[in-house]
Structures are given as structure tokens and as C-alpha cells.
Amino acid sequence: MPHNLFSLIQLQFLNQSDRILLSVPGGRSLTGSELDAETACMAAVLIDAGVEPGDRVSAQVEKGWMNVLLYLAVLRIGGVYLPLNSAYTESEVEYFLTDAEPRVHVCPQVRREHAESLVQSANEQLKVMTLDGDLGFLRDVFDDFKLSGRAVEEVVSREAADLASIIYTSGTTGKPKGAMISHGNLIANAEMLTEAWAYSKADTLLHALPLFHVHGLFVGLNLALVNGGPIILLPKFDPTLVLEVMPDTTVMMGVPTYYTRLLSDDRFNRVTSSQMRLYISGSAPLLVETSDSFFERTGHRILERYGMTETGMSCSNPLVGERRAGSVGPHLPGVSVRVMGDDGYSVAGGEIGSLEVKGPHVFSGYWKLPEKTASEFKGEWFITGDLAILSEDGYISIVGRDKDLIISGGLNIYPKEIEDVLNDQPDVLESAVVGVSHPDFGEGIVAILVGKKALDMVVLEAACREKLAGFKVPRRWLQHDALPRNTMGKVQKNLLRDNYKDSFTAK
Ligand code: MLC
Ligand code: AMP
């Protein structure tokens, strides 16, 4: 059996050569044979740029069909795909390009100069290409290659353990870590989800998620591609566009914010959702209230699942059987889960403990960080950092986090990253960043600061914007004389969260 994920996807392209498998409303539609041929052409572009098996190719690009071709071509030639959130600032990107040392970085024209400046200082082998603009314009090279019939048809053979992707996730301490994800991990996860959700080529996926995180890339895109089901690829989550294409689709995946936004739109009703087979939610907790309102409005019970970058998907509510609101369901086929107490033993049903997972979908470690990797595994068990309860009948509920993490609109934000920027500002003595309930994003960010004098929050906000992606910038700013600390000297964030719990919800 071939271990390159692309080989499985290519089987579908070849078996359904005349069927449109990827379409962008108002843009291009590609059949199976076009996807195969154009991926081969993109593969030639990358090989021409010097990419060899095992080399990283990073991409901070706009979502679209070119982005899909780029991802598939990297897999095809045995490269390692490194997607970057389009909101990351230059200083955030600088870290990734220095740490991962990609051979090729694809970015927007406006970021080109900055990326090229890193060739001297950080990564001598880096070649920068853009999807828009002129110089080194990947699209132009691609079009030239297509016209002249240049393509690399070969699919590079890979072992299951060979890397397919590196995705950076931040952490409670230090810098972001690159999670190393193999072809075997991705294939195992796609197979589990196919079985659990009965996904098939009869499904059409409504794809509104970004392609730079696990949810949109490995859950959404991979699952549809491996099964040969058509994908309607939207540039982003826009309720008008989503409602327009919904009647032509059967499965939608989203973060809870997508579902609350749909519910607040009067155009969304039983008619728009009548063709739908399955709505799936994940990346952040889905409120019981949202699940119930959705059921009342559409007759569909959203299927909630749970996962993370390091593991892909681990748990899912069942397709057939009880989809329990407030729970992420039992473990997926082939996955083992356990809930551990502080004493190192698994806790009895109903008690809160630390969730650990094991299986063929679990990543192999953090890029260049063997010690960090070792500290997050107990043998083959990966410590997720989530707090959970396992019910007598095998359903997992995520009830909290053992990590200082905010999840806003499905995006993970580590307070430490923001606190580091704030603590570096001249008038700031110390800071604490917390997440509190937000009606749209689930959690919103509040910054509490202690200053040498009265602080100018506009200046602090600007400092954050310069260094951090917009979604990480706090939306409420407060100055305190001191931060509340316990006897160990640790900041009592629970008190701050409680004090400011109504920051975004107060009427
Ligand atoms: C954008 N903004 C956000 C935000 N997204 N603020 C907080 N949280 C977010 N998630 C801010 C921007 O900085 C900007 O503010 C303003 O909102 C408008 O930006 P936008 O891009 O136009 O926003 P919008 O299109 O409304 O995006 C919101 C969203 C999007 C919820 C649709 O964030 C989204 O698609 N989220 C999904 C993320 C995802 O794929 N998560 C999966 C991770 S994988 P300003 O002030 O800067 O201009 C994972 C594992 C698993 O977790 O289990 O799946
Ligand atoms: P990421 O690091 O971006 O992959 O995010 C993974 C984290 O998202 C997990 O560790 C959980 O904290 C959270 N998460 C994902 N799915 C769910 C869910 N259905 N319910 C609650 N939290 C979730």
C-alpha cells in the first residue's frame, strides 16, 4: 500500500477524471484529471525551485484553488507543507522561517521584501515566491509551465513515518513549536473519519474554513479528497456565500462561531439546510445552547468532535446514535483515550482528569525540540493539556484546560505571547491576559496591566498590533495597582476572569 497521502488522493482524481472535484464559486472548477495534471505542473515548479523530498515549503497565501494545488504538489514530491495563518505579522513569520528553514516560502507580494531579507540573516537556502505580483510570481511560472507542458508526473514514494507537514502551535511557555505530522498520521485520521462519518464520494463539502489550520486542511480538505467527494471552496466564512452554496452541499464543517453567526441570520432555515446530511463543529467548545437552537431551527443536531494539531481528530459524537450536546463523543475507531488524575492513575467515571490520547494519528514530536516532545508524552500516550470527564458509557466531555490558552473564534491564543509583548513596553511593570466569554468568538481577550504610571492603552494596543496577528490583540484594557497572586506568587487568573467575565456580554 502506498504511504504517500497524495497517492490515495490521486486514485480519486484518476477514477473520476471528468467529474468536477473542486470548485470556487465565481472562480475555477477543476475535474479530477485537471487536478492531477495541474498538481503535476505545480510539482515541476517546486522542483525547479530546488525543492527535494523532505524539504519544507511554507505558505502564507490567500485561500483558493492555487493554494490547494500548492499543498497537493508538496505532498506529491515528498516535501513537507508548512501553512501559515495569513494574519501573522512579519515578526511572527520571521520566527517560522528561521526555525523551519523552508526551501521555498510562498507569500503575498507585499511580504516579499521582508521574506527575502531573511535569506541573508536567517535561512540562506530560502527561495521566496509569490502568488500575486510579478517578480518570481508563482502563478506566472505555473502558467508558463502549463503552456509548455512541463510537469512531474511521478509521485515520490514515502514511508508512513515520513513527514507530510509541520504546523506550528504556540505554547504556554516559550516560542511556538512545529508539530511534525506524517503521511501515516494523516492517512490514519482520514480513514477514521471516513468510517465514523460515513463520508463518501456522494458527499459535497461546504468548505469555508481557512486552509492554514488542521480543521480546514486535514479534516475538511483531506477527508473530501481521499474520498473523491466534490469540494465547494469559499474564500472565507461569509454567511451570504455560505447560504448561497449550502443547498448544493451535504456536509459542512465549522468552528462554533460559524454556527452562531448562521443562527443570527434570518435567511438560515430548514429550507436552506434541507439537502444537508451533516453539520460538524470543532476546534472550540460548542455551547449546549447553540446546539439546541440549531436543532430547533433546522432539525439537525450538530455533530461535535474534538482534536488538536498534534493529534488530528481523537473523539467524535456518533453519526448514528446519541449526539450529546456538551460532549465531544466517544473516541474514534483506532484511537485510545484515558482520563488521568494527579496521582498518575486513571480516574473513575464522572471525575475530572487530564486527557491523554494514543493512536496512529498522533504526531511524532516537535520540530527540533526532543526534550519538549518527551515532556508531553508518557510512552505512547500524548498529554493533550485538556481537562475531561469520561462518562460510564464512553462519552468524553472537555470541561477545561490544563494549559493557559484562550480559544477565540476557533483560533488558539496563548496569553504568554501577548504578555511578553506587553511586558517589553517601557511603562509596563507586569501584565496578565485572560479570556472571558464573548458572544461571537466564544472567548474574547482582556489585558490587565500594572504600570509605572498611568498607561496609554492606545500605545500598548499599537505595540501588540505591530508584533502580533490581529486576532491576538486584546479588546479590553485595564490598569490595576497590582495583580492578584496566591501564596506561591502565581497570578490568580481565575479571579481576573471572574472580575471581567461580563466584559463582552454585559448588555
Ligand atoms: C478575526 N478576528 C478575530 C478572529 N478572526 N478576532 C478574534 N478571534 C478570531 N478568531 C478579528 C481580526 O483581527 C479583525 O480585527 C476582525 O476580526 C475582522 O477580521 P476578519 O478576518 O474579517 O474576521 P472574520 O472573517 O469575521 O473571521 C472570524 C472567523 C475566523 C471566526 C470567521 O476567525 C475563522 O474562520 N476562524 C476559524 C479558525 C480555524 O480554522 N480554527 C481551527 C484551528 S485547528 P482587527 O481589529 O484586527 O481588524 C484546531 C484543531 C481542531 O483548533 O480541533 O480543529
Ligand atoms: P489547536 O492547538 O489549534 O490544534 O487546538 C486544539 C485545542 O482546541 C484542543 O486542545 C482543545 O483545547 C480545543 N478543542 C478542539 N476541539 C474542541 C471541542 N470540540 N471542544 C472543546 N475544545 C476543543
Side-chain angles (χ1 to χ4, degrees):
M1 186 190 128
H3 293 298
N4 188 328
L5 170 66
F6 182 78
S7 303
L8 298 187
I9 294 171
Q10 190 187 38
L11 277 180
Q12 295 296 344
F13 291 167
L14 301 179
N15 284 340
Q16 305 190 75
S17 54
D18 293 332
R19 187 175 182 212
I20 290 173
L21 293 182
L22 181 74
S23 56
V24 180
R28 275 199 81 187
S29 295
L30 291 105
T31 61
S33 63
E34 284 168 333
L35 280 162
D36 185 43
E38 301 205 11
T39 304
C41 177
M42 183 68 86
V45 174
L46 293 173
I47 288 173
D48 201 54
V51 180
E52 291 178 11
D55 281 346
R56 277 76 57 211
V57 174
S58 52
Q60 189 183 32
V61 294
E62 255 185 52
K63 187 177 172 188
W65 60 272
M66 283 286 274
N67 186 181
V68 175
L69 289 187
L70 182 64
Y71 164 61
L72 292 175
V74 173
L75 295 179
R76 182 171 191 146
I77 65 173
V80 179
Y81 188 66
L82 198 166
L84 295 171
N85 190 321
S86 51
Y88 287 152
T89 61
E90 289 184 351
S91 63
E92 288 170 307
V93 170
E94 182 163 340
Y95 173 76
F96 302 124
L97 298 195
T98 310
D99 191 55
E101 298 177 275
R103 173 71 62 143
V104 165
H105 175 58
V106 188
C107 66
Q109 184 69 16
V110 288
R111 289 289 181 85
R112 182 184 189 105
E113 207 175 306
H114 171 258
E116 282 187 333
S117 72
L118 303 174
V119 176
Q120 308 302 328
S121 59
N123 178 355
E124 276 179 18
Q125 61 163 4
L126 182 70
K127 175 156 180 156
V128 181
M129 301 184 96
T130 63
L131 276 185
D132 55 338
D134 17 82
L135 202 65
F137 180 22
L138 196 155
R139 174 79 185 270
D140 251 5
V141 184
F142 174 77
D143 286 345
D144 274 357
F145 274 41
K146 220 167 101 180
L147 267 178
S148 58
R150 278 182 74 182
V152 173
E153 306 283 347
E154 183 199 356
V155 178
V156 171
S157 163
R158 297 278 83 189
E159 294 299 320
D162 284 332
L163 291 193
S165 180
I166 293 181
I167 301 201
Y168 277 84
T169 76
S170 290
T172 40
T173 53
K175 290 285 191 187
K177 310 158 291 197
M180 300 191 289
I181 299 156
S182 68
H183 285 266
N185 295 150
L186 295 179
I187 292 172
N189 221 215
E191 284 173 348
M192 290 169 196
L193 295 177
T194 299
E195 182 183 336
W197 299 341
Y199 205 96
S200 77
K201 65 178 182 214
D203 281 311
T204 299
L205 180 67
L206 192 168
H207 196 301
L209 285 155
L211 284 175
F212 42 68
H213 290 302
V214 166
H215 197 161
L217 190 61
F218 299 151
V219 188
L221 198 70
N222 280 0
L223 187 62
L225 288 170
V226 160
N227 285 289
I231 299 162
I232 299 191
L233 196 77
L234 303 182
K236 60 181 289 197
F237 178 82
D238 168 345
T240 302
L241 269 180
V242 167
L243 290 172
E244 253 170 48
V245 302
M246 195 176 280
D248 301 323
T249 59
T250 62
V251 176
M252 172 176 163
M253 298 180 192
V255 299
T257 301
Y258 292 12
Y259 296 113
T260 51
R261 288 190 183 179
L262 280 177
L263 282 171
S264 64
D265 195 313
D266 291 339
R267 295 170 296 176
F268 180 56
N269 52 39
R270 276 179 195 252
V271 177
T272 32
S273 60
S274 59
Q275 293 299 313
M276 245 339 155
R277 177 171 81 82
L278 193 56
Y279 290 96
I280 300 166
S281 176
S283 310
L286 181 74
L287 298 180
V288 173
E289 186 190 310
T290 309
S291 177
D292 289 348
S293 308
F294 201 91
F295 183 67
E296 264 171 45
R297 176 86 68 93
T298 64
H300 286 275
R301 177 64 69 185
I302 298 173
L303 180 151
E304 185 173 11
R305 57 64 179 172
Y306 160 85
M308 58 190 298
T309 303
E310 288 90 333
T311 61
M313 301 303 103
S314 290
C315 301
S316 171
N317 271 285
L319 182 68
V320 181
E322 188 195 357
R323 294 186 200 164
R324 195 173 293 170
S327 163
V328 295
H331 62 80
L332 281 161
V335 174
S336 305
V337 295
R338 63 183 191 186
V339 176
M340 306 297 283
D342 290 339
D343 57 3
Y345 291 96
S346 57
V347 296
E351 269 184 65
I352 297 178
S354 158
L355 180 64
E356 299 181 359
V357 304
K358 189 170 83 165
H361 63 321
V362 175
F363 78 136
S364 50
Y366 296 110
W367 175 251
K368 293 184 189 164
L369 294 173
E371 282 167 21
K372 184 75 199 159
T373 302
S375 72
E376 302 211 0
F377 277 91
K378 281 188 215 157
E380 287 178 72
W381 290 95
F382 175 68
I383 308 163
T384 64
D386 289 307
L387 299 176
I389 294 175
L390 176 60
S391 73
E392 299 289 348
D393 57 355
Y395 278 62
I396 293 273
S397 300
I398 306 294
V399 294
R401 299 170 204 137
D402 206 9
K403 46 195 175 189
D404 193 11
L405 165 69
I406 298 168
I407 305 185
S408 173
L411 291 172
N412 284 10
I413 298 160
Y414 281 86
K416 171 89 168 50
E417 237 188 301
I418 307 168
E419 288 159 2
D420 283 350
V421 173
L422 292 172
N423 295 344
D424 273 351
Q425 302 311 305
D427 297 327
V428 173
L429 280 174
E430 56 176 349
S431 61
V433 167
V434 294
V436 300
S437 179
H438 188 288
D440 185 30
F441 291 128
E443 288 185 289
I445 312 174
V446 180
I448 300 104
L449 297 122
V450 179
K452 295 176 189 157
K453 56 182 194 183
L455 293 169
D456 184 341
M457 303 304 182
V458 176
V459 172
L460 295 180
E461 182 175 339
C464 285
R465 278 198 184 275
E466 193 197 324
K467 299 264 187 228
L468 304 168
F471 65 87
K472 298 180 189 170
V473 176
R475 295 300 199 255
R476 289 283 184 281
W477 299 84
L478 300 136
Q479 183 158 1
H480 277 204
D481 292 337
L483 296 177
R485 288 181 185 278
N486 64 16
T487 47
M488 310 288 287
K490 203 166 176 255
V491 177
Q492 291 170 299
K493 288 200 168 176
N494 52 332
L495 295 184
L496 294 172
R497 271 191 288 270
D498 199 45
N499 264 347
Y500 297 113
K501 64 177 190 302
D502 300 326
S503 297
F504 301 104
T505 47
K507 296 262 162 13

